[in-house]
Amino acid sequence: MVASTLSEVARLAGVSPATASRVLNGSARTPGQDIAERVRAAAESLGYVPNAQAQGLAKSSSGLIGLIVRDIADPYFAAIARGVQEAAREQGRMVLLATTAGAPADEREAVAAFAARRADSIVIAGSRSARPEDDEGNSELAAELDRYCRNGGQVAVVGHAVVGASSTEGYHVVTVPNEELAVKLAAELAVSRYGHYVIIGGPAGLFTSDDRIRGFQRGLAAAGLPPAEIIRTEFNRSGGFEAGVALAARIRASQEAGNTAGDAKRICIFAVNDVMAIGAAAALRSEGLRIPRDAIIAGFDDIETLRDFRPALSTVHLPLEEIGRQATRRAAGMIGEEAAPSTITGHVTLRRSTEGVLPSEGISRMSSTDS
Amino acid sequence: MVASTLSEVARLAGVSPATASRVLNGSARTPGQDIAERVRAAAESLGYVPNAQAQGLAKSSSGLIGLIVRDIADPYFAAIARGVQEAAREQGRMVLLATTAGAPADEREAVAAFAARRADSIVIAGSRSARPEDDEGNSELAAELDRYCRNGGQVAVVGHAVVGASSTEGYHVVTVPNEELAVKLAAELAVSRYGHYVIIGGPAGLFTSDDRIRGFQRGLAAAGLPPAEIIRTEFNRSGGFEAGVALAARIRASQEAGNTAGDAKRICIFAVNDVMAIGAAAALRSEGLRIPRDAIIAGFDDIETLRDFRPALSTVHLPLEEIGRQATRRAAGMIGEEAAPSTITGHVTLRRSTEGVLPSEGISRMSSTDS
DNA sequence: GCGAACTGGGAAAGCGCATTCCCACTGATG
DNA sequence: CATCAGTGGGAATGCGCTTTCCCAGTTCGC
């Protein structure tokens, strides 16, 4: 990558580099009209493209925002990424992407790389974890983040704070009310008491998953129901599918034992995210079971691409794009911390996959077939 | 963003900056063991993070790959992005993301921004367009790309070459056999001759859409069928939905006119991408029509997230991740141009949404419920 | 009409690093 | 013992740009 430099432009225009710089970038001092015109013409004819690296070096700031996601092809993260991208654009910055398969060690590496590139801020959307095997990685990640913040970097984490991060300066958390919303979902699903509640969750230690599980259990308890059984599996579609296969066998057995498929006996499945719910639903279907006839199921996230799925999936709507936007804005210092600690809200959205549940007041029954 | 510098490390270690540089980065000359150790220790204790901008400036290369997509939340682009990200990682580079709502002007801007950042290569995945209103934008984009290539940049475009780009140096195109695959799809769908073939396409001028339309028509013609009717709409889910609503009314009318729903009378819909197909399917369903009973439908892309959709969507599988990977590798000069002009292949995948069509030899009938 | 306050442009000093020279020193060679 | 190649470290330069400082030319005030 070579290109014409500012000095070349200046020489062609017959001015000093300083003047050229002042013309070509919004400096406080604006040179005279005629000179400015000459410089601009020279730049144009030379096809001058400013070297952002040199600019960044000179004024120590890069106009870069680092984004860390677990998997950019996962619609959950893709939606957040869109919000981040949008906010970055507002700020006139570009986003630098890093994906980590959920491994804190990779995240640490990504943070270091962002720090090396002198990214102005970093948005971390990969899920936080407290699994024992991640302990070491987490503390290293925390150390790296602390260092980054100490050097003046801004960090925004979606969901939960990074375990062990202690920096107070420049460290922001966009809280997602996973637990509270799961409580509400459980409350809705508890209205018509099902025979059995099952939660398909991710590995123990994944905050997002654990919070949702905890909230759901609380909601059931508040309704006077016993805690749901928990199936731990992978935090993705195939995890949901596997759990679904296992559940299908049990539902079958139960049905053959003579139980009818009435509400009182139907099993109610809560998958901690939509993708897992879809996987589970696919498994039930492949085993010849029907939703909501043989079992009802709900997910979490309200992934856009999945809205046309049939039976329409009951879920908890989360403003993913807004989450990304807000994290990015906060990291840019555009949102006062105390002014709005966290304005992320979601809502329970009951659809056909939990048919039979009577929606209580305040919960809108949304159709998803509207274009 | 301030941070400790190489000189500070050098001073602490009691060596010259040159030596410190040689130790901390894989230079050709490796200083002595003891010195190296001292420098590393100093770097560690200072929490030294090399300034990639300065490094880039000094050796004029940035380790950055620019990626342009239309919308990162669109599963099609998200999948490509994953491949790009993966390949970038292989190369030890980071990806810089830009989204443009399909506007060539935005793409031009993104290319300029990448050039300013001295990105080593650029991957363009946004769809190429030849619409008259994009003419100006396209030629500016082409000029910008030419300049970038002339300065030594590498460009890989997914699908079609940018209209007007003339640089031969460093300009790569990863061809996607849209037309050929659409021919094959049409051939399959022509086996049991339907009453009427309809294509739901994007706006005229969008290459991806136009290629697929052309291919489909060619396939029909080869089978001795008259060309399909074409409905132009937006290149996204809601475009598909709208077209679906219009089609539903006609199907309804036809049915009420006394036509039975036999193969000979069923309408066959080809939406030029999966997302549009899903939209159309949702529209038909909301109008009380059933697939494949009242109409059969096929899409294109084989989007992963959509595989659990019911009725399972017949489509053309495209190795999206591989496309992203290959584009990235090619732009990095890791794939000989002549050696493999384009190794992207896809295949027709018939599923339940086109039930009634007898698959011919060589086309595997894939189930999508396998986990 | 003369000094003071501006104005607008240029010279130069970095920003943090890689790299090319250059030099002092070592050990081998004749 | 003198010479030479070889080794390992440092000084210095430059990557392309911003910005401070400086200076000559103007305009203003009294």
Side-chain angles (χ1 to χ4, degrees):
Chain A
M1 286 297 311
V2 297
S4 46
T5 73
L6 188 60
S7 320
E8 288 172 27
V9 173
R11 200 176 317 135
L12 181 59
V15 300
S16 78
T19 304
S21 168
R22 288 194 265 253
V23 171
L24 263 20
N25 309 294
S27 163
R29 288 179 48 177
T30 321
Q33 283 290 326
D34 47 343
I35 291 221
E37 210 46 57
R38 268 213 327 273
V39 172
R40 255 186 284 275
E44 177 65 27
S45 83
L46 250 47
Y48 171 71
V49 178
N51 186 327
Q53 305 209 80
Q55 292 188 153
L57 185 55
K59 47 185 180 189
S60 62
S61 98
S62 60
L64 253 29
I65 292 179
L67 170 62
I68 298 181
V69 296
R70 183 208 281 273
D71 173 10
I72 191 63
D74 180 321
Y76 172 83
F77 293 113
I80 291 181
R82 183 201 258 162
V84 169
Q85 171 71 40
E86 208 180 299
R89 191 162 193 155
E90 277 173 14
Q91 301 173 17
R93 300 193 221 265
M94 300 208 74
V95 5
L96 212 46
L97 185 66
T99 61
T100 68
D106 285 352
E107 296 183 330
R108 192 203 69 82
E109 206 175 309
V111 170
F114 290 155
R117 298 234 136 74
R118 297 301 185 263
D120 298 334
S121 48
I122 295 180
V123 174
I124 304 184
S127 3
R128 298 302 88 230
S129 137
R131 290 182 297 177
E133 64 263 43
D134 287 339
D135 273 0
E136 192 183 336
N138 269 326
S139 68
E140 284 180 3
L141 169 60
E144 196 74 49
L145 281 175
D146 279 353
R147 173 192 302 173
Y148 176 74
C149 287
R150 227 177 302 119
N151 289 342
Q154 298 284 319
V155 175
V157 185
V158 171
H160 264 275
V162 169
V163 178
S166 59
S167 176
T168 52
E169 201 77 15
Y171 190 81
H172 318 259
V173 178
V174 174
T175 310
V176 178
N178 284 313
E179 189 169 341
E180 294 78 351
L181 289 169
V183 169
K184 287 190 187 166
L185 176 62
E188 289 297 324
L189 296 180
V191 172
S192 27
R193 312 184 160 247
Y194 293 97
H196 192 48
Y197 288 82
V198 178
I199 300 175
I200 301 181
L206 259 190
F207 278 135
T208 309
S209 170
D210 286 354
D211 287 353
R212 292 174 182 179
I213 291 174
R214 193 177 324 115
F216 197 79
Q217 298 287 39
R218 263 181 49 201
L220 290 184
L225 291 173
E229 171 191 351
I230 302 174
I231 299 180
R232 298 282 182 182
T233 177
E234 278 178 85
F235 198 59
N236 55 27
R237 191 251 175 210
S238 79
F241 189 87
E242 278 172 30
V245 169
L247 281 174
R250 285 166 42 181
I251 296 172
R252 269 299 199 21
S254 158
Q255 287 179 345
E256 281 161 14
N259 290 328
T260 55
D263 264 17
K265 292 299 174 189
R266 268 195 299 180
I267 192 173
C268 172
I269 303 168
F270 166 49
V272 295
N273 70 41
D274 278 2
V275 176
M276 292 174 82
I278 294 297
L284 294 194
R285 197 168 37 215
S286 74
E287 298 292 325
L289 296 175
R290 296 269 294 279
I291 295 169
R293 194 193 60 190
D294 301 309
I296 68 169
I297 187 166
F300 208 111
D301 287 342
D302 198 18
I303 297 296
E304 200 177 328
T305 327
L306 263 23
R307 298 220 184 114
D308 283 315
F309 185 80
R310 281 302 109 95
L313 188 64
S314 289
T315 187
V316 174
H317 176 80
L318 239 35
L320 297 174
E321 244 180 275
E322 177 61 22
I323 289 174
R325 257 196 309 265
Q326 213 167 106
T328 310
R329 293 210 187 111
R330 184 152 293 172
M334 301 179 70
I335 300 181
E337 205 68 10
E338 309 74 19
S342 177
T343 58
I344 298 301
T345 60
H347 56 264
V348 174
T349 303
L350 296 183
R351 301 200 181 104
R352 182 142 160 69
S353 75
T354 52
E355 197 89 317
V357 179
L358 304 169
S360 70
E361 299 226 344
I363 302 288
S364 64
R365 168 170 217 107
M366 288 174 57
S367 150
S368 74
T369 48
D370 45 358
S371 133
Chain B
M1 284 298 310
V2 298
S4 45
T5 73
L6 188 59
S7 319
E8 288 171 27
V9 173
R11 199 176 318 136
L12 180 61
V15 300
S16 77
T19 304
S21 169
R22 286 194 266 254
V23 171
L24 265 18
N25 310 293
S27 165
R29 288 177 49 178
T30 319
Q33 283 289 327
D34 47 343
I35 291 221
E37 209 47 54
R38 269 215 326 273
V39 172
R40 254 186 284 276
E44 177 63 28
S45 82
L46 251 47
Y48 171 70
V49 178
N51 187 327
Q53 305 209 81
Q55 292 188 155
L57 183 56
K59 46 185 181 190
S60 62
S61 98
S62 61
L64 255 27
I65 292 179
L67 170 62
I68 297 181
V69 296
R70 182 208 282 273
D71 173 10
I72 191 62
D74 181 321
Y76 173 84
F77 293 113
I80 292 181
R82 184 200 257 162
V84 170
Q85 170 71 41
E86 208 180 298
R89 192 163 193 154
E90 277 173 15
Q91 302 174 15
R93 299 194 222 265
M94 300 207 74
V95 5
L96 214 43
L97 184 66
T99 61
T100 67
D106 285 352
E107 296 183 329
R108 192 203 68 82
E109 205 175 311
V111 170
F114 290 153
R117 297 237 136 75
R118 297 300 185 264
D120 299 333
S121 48
I122 294 179
V123 174
I124 303 185
S127 3
R128 300 298 90 231
S129 139
R131 291 182 296 179
E133 64 264 44
D134 287 340
D135 273 0
E136 192 183 337
N138 269 327
S139 68
E140 285 181 1
L141 170 60
E144 195 74 49
L145 281 174
D146 280 354
R147 175 192 301 173
Y148 176 74
C149 287
R150 227 176 304 119
N151 289 342
Q154 297 284 320
V155 175
V157 186
V158 171
H160 262 275
V162 170
V163 177
S166 59
S167 175
T168 52
E169 200 79 15
Y171 190 82
H172 317 261
V173 178
V174 174
T175 310
V176 177
N178 284 312
E179 188 168 343
E180 294 78 351
L181 288 170
V183 169
K184 286 191 187 167
L185 175 63
E188 290 297 322
L189 296 181
V191 172
S192 27
R193 311 185 160 246
Y194 292 97
H196 192 49
Y197 288 81
V198 179
I199 299 176
I200 302 182
L206 257 190
F207 278 134
T208 309
S209 170
D210 286 354
D211 287 353
R212 293 174 181 179
I213 291 174
R214 192 176 324 114
F216 197 81
Q217 298 287 38
R218 264 182 49 201
L220 289 184
L225 290 172
E229 170 191 353
I230 301 174
I231 299 180
R232 298 281 183 184
T233 177
E234 278 178 85
F235 198 59
N236 54 27
R237 191 252 175 209
S238 79
F241 189 87
E242 277 171 31
V245 169
L247 282 174
R250 286 165 43 179
I251 295 172
R252 269 297 202 23
S254 159
Q255 287 180 346
E256 281 161 13
N259 289 328
T260 56
D263 264 15
K265 292 298 174 188
R266 268 194 300 179
I267 191 173
C268 172
I269 303 169
F270 167 49
V272 294
N273 69 39
D274 279 3
V275 176
M276 293 174 81
I278 293 297
L284 293 194
R285 197 167 37 212
S286 74
E287 297 292 324
L289 297 174
R290 298 269 294 278
I291 296 168
R293 195 194 60 191
D294 302 310
I296 68 168
I297 186 165
F300 208 112
D301 285 343
D302 197 19
I303 297 296
E304 201 179 325
T305 326
L306 262 25
R307 298 220 184 115
D308 284 314
F309 185 81
R310 280 303 107 93
L313 188 64
S314 289
T315 187
V316 174
H317 177 80
L318 238 37
L320 298 174
E321 244 181 273
E322 177 61 22
I323 290 175
R325 256 195 309 264
Q326 212 166 108
T328 310
R329 292 209 187 112
R330 184 152 292 171
M334 301 179 70
I335 301 181
E337 204 69 8
E338 309 75 20
S342 177
T343 58
I344 299 301
T345 60
H347 56 263
V348 174
T349 303
L350 297 183
R351 302 202 181 103
R352 183 142 159 68
S353 74
T354 52
E355 197 88 316
V357 179
L358 304 170
S360 72
E361 299 227 344
I363 301 288
S364 63
R365 167 168 218 109
M366 288 175 57
S367 150
S368 72
T369 49
D370 46 356
S371 136

